């Protein structure tokens, strides 16, 4: 059976499924630096699909609506057809990554309360930071929608960080993307080690920072595997 490809990104492919659903196939590609650095990590698509499915199911159990419906195969999700908003929404509990380069904030500073940030999905412009005015002008979302998304981000952060804490690990930050289903805002995309930063109390890194920092692919893969095992056991 020929399935119709709707779009392809750096790590996932979207296929037509039925009127209200699409398929999201997780590739084995791993990228960093707006796609500048790129490799194939065999089996990574399955790991990220499984990790994402696990977190989407967890959020759904807490009454947070996501696009997740079920699995078509081990690396392909059936998801609700959304009109995606090209914005990345980040919550930070502990400072690392772009924020310590952009602002006079030191690596490891704790954010109480957590910080929510919006970025435009635009690799050529290196995903610039957005405020409410930018998002209204660019017709991305209204201020009211942005504030609603901030509330969801804080709820999701509470759920994910306490879950991860119970597993003996620490959620530094994570990114979500949202889409519209009629007039509702629903969480789309993925929740995996590509989109979150997880460390332990000794600052051991579990997430894509291993790849960003140049660790070998075997180490990256082993860490993704270990994390999936930790959350599912
Ligand atoms: O990753 P980078 O240091 O460039 O950006 P960041 O703003 O510090 O990233 C915050 C969080 O969003 C991290 O968990 C990243 O993995 C995630 N992120 C992502 O999933 N996709 C991006 N294009 C940028 C960040």
């Amino acid at each position: 059976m020929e399935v119709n490809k709707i779009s392809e990104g750096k790590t996932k492919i979207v296929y037509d499924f039925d009127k209200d659903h699409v398929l999201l196939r997780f590739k084995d590609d791993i990228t960093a630096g707006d796609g500048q650095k790129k490799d194939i990590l065999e089996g990574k698509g399955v790991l990220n699909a499984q990790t994402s499915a696990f977190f989407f199911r967890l959020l759904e159990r807490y009454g947070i609506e996501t696009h997740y419906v079920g699995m078509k195969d081990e690396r392909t999700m059936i998801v609700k057809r959304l009109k995606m908003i090209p914005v990345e929404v980040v919550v930070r509990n502990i400072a690392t990554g772009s924020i310590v380069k952009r602002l006079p904030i030191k690596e490891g500073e704790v954010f109480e309360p957590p910080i929510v940030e919006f970025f435009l999905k635009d690799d050529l412009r290196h995903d610039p930071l957005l405020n409410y005015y930018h998002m209204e002008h660019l017709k991305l979302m209204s201020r009211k929608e942005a504030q609603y998304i901030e509330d969801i981000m804080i709820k999701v952060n509470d759920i994910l960080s306490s879950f991860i804490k119970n597993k003996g690990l620490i959620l530094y930050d994570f990114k979500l993307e949202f889409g519209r289903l009629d007039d509702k805002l629903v969480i789309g995309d993925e929740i995996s080690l590509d989109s979150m930063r997880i460390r332990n109390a000794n600052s051991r890194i579990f997430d894509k920072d291993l790849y960003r920092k140049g660790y070998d692919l075997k180490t990256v893969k082993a860490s993704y595997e270990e994390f999936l095992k930790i959350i599912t056991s």
Side-chain angles (χ1 to χ4, degrees):
M1 187 191 67
E2 260 304 298
V3 272
N4 207 16
K5 192 195 279 189
I6 298 174
S7 67
E8 177 159 4
K10 292 185 290 243
T11 59
K12 296 186 295 297
I13 309 177
V14 184
Y15 296 101
D16 241 331
F17 190 57
D18 64 25
K19 185 173 136 294
D20 297 325
H21 302 94
V22 296
L23 295 179
L24 199 57
R25 184 177 167 83
F26 287 69
K27 304 195 284 187
D28 284 340
D29 301 60
I30 183 161
T31 75
D34 304 316
Q36 303 251 38
K37 180 173 156 123
K38 190 159 75 189
D39 284 282
I40 304 283
L41 192 56
E42 217 178 294
K44 183 240 187 197
V46 175
L47 292 167
N48 275 8
Q50 297 298 323
T51 301
S52 293
F54 179 87
F55 283 128
F56 283 138
R57 288 187 216 112
L58 178 71
L59 295 183
E60 294 277 352
R61 281 207 294 281
Y62 281 90
I64 307 258
E65 185 168 2
T66 77
H67 66 163
Y68 179 79
V69 174
M71 298 305 286
K72 182 83 167 57
D73 61 47
E74 58 178 5
R75 66 166 73 229
T76 310
M77 235 175 236
I78 305 167
V79 299
K80 294 169 195 160
R81 194 185 283 270
L82 305 181
K83 239 183 134 308
M84 291 305 292
I85 303 167
V87 168
E88 302 193 330
V89 195
V90 170
V91 174
R92 301 177 185 278
N93 295 304
I94 302 181
T96 188
S98 71
I99 199 166
V100 302
K101 298 182 194 127
R102 202 169 57 233
L103 292 169
I105 292 173
K106 286 194 202 67
E107 185 83 31
E109 269 181 48
V110 175
F111 299 123
E112 267 164 347
I115 289 178
V116 183
E117 295 175 329
F118 297 86
F119 298 93
L120 181 64
K121 268 175 83 84
D122 184 337
D123 280 345
L124 291 175
R125 292 185 173 80
H126 308 295
D127 296 351
L129 187 71
L130 297 166
N131 66 25
Y132 298 158
Y133 296 88
H134 301 138
M135 291 195 283
E136 273 188 322
H137 178 80
L138 295 169
K139 298 195 166 32
L140 294 165
M141 64 181 86
S142 67
R143 177 180 294 250
K144 216 175 130 208
E145 286 178 315
Q147 285 169 342
Y148 172 79
I149 285 179
E150 286 172 347
D151 288 345
I152 301 281
M153 292 302 289
I154 294 303
K155 285 194 185 120
V156 171
N157 185 48
D158 287 343
I159 297 165
L160 294 184
S161 45
S162 42
F163 176 84
I164 284 161
K165 188 166 176 234
N166 278 329
K167 299 288 179 182
L169 300 172
I170 303 160
L171 177 61
Y172 274 54
D173 55 38
F174 66 94
K175 183 257 327 179
L176 296 180
E177 296 181 25
F178 289 78
R180 291 193 174 80
L181 205 180
D182 305 320
D183 52 3
K184 267 185 311 190
L185 287 163
V186 175
I187 297 170
D189 195 55
E190 69 183 293
I191 309 177
S192 71
L193 287 175
D194 279 12
S195 61
M196 66 208 307
R197 287 195 173 98
I198 304 275
R199 298 191 185 168
N200 68 11
N202 301 319
S203 303
R204 178 187 151 192
I205 299 169
F206 283 76
D207 56 82
K208 200 171 82 172
D209 274 351
L210 292 169
Y211 178 71
R212 293 189 184 98
K213 290 172 190 287
Y215 285 79
D216 62 286
L217 294 176
K218 256 193 167 150
T219 305
V220 180
K221 169 112 188 264
S223 175
Y224 277 48
E225 270 165 354
E226 186 182 349
F227 182 68
L228 180 59
K229 209 174 262 167
I230 292 171
I231 60 173
T232 54
S233 62

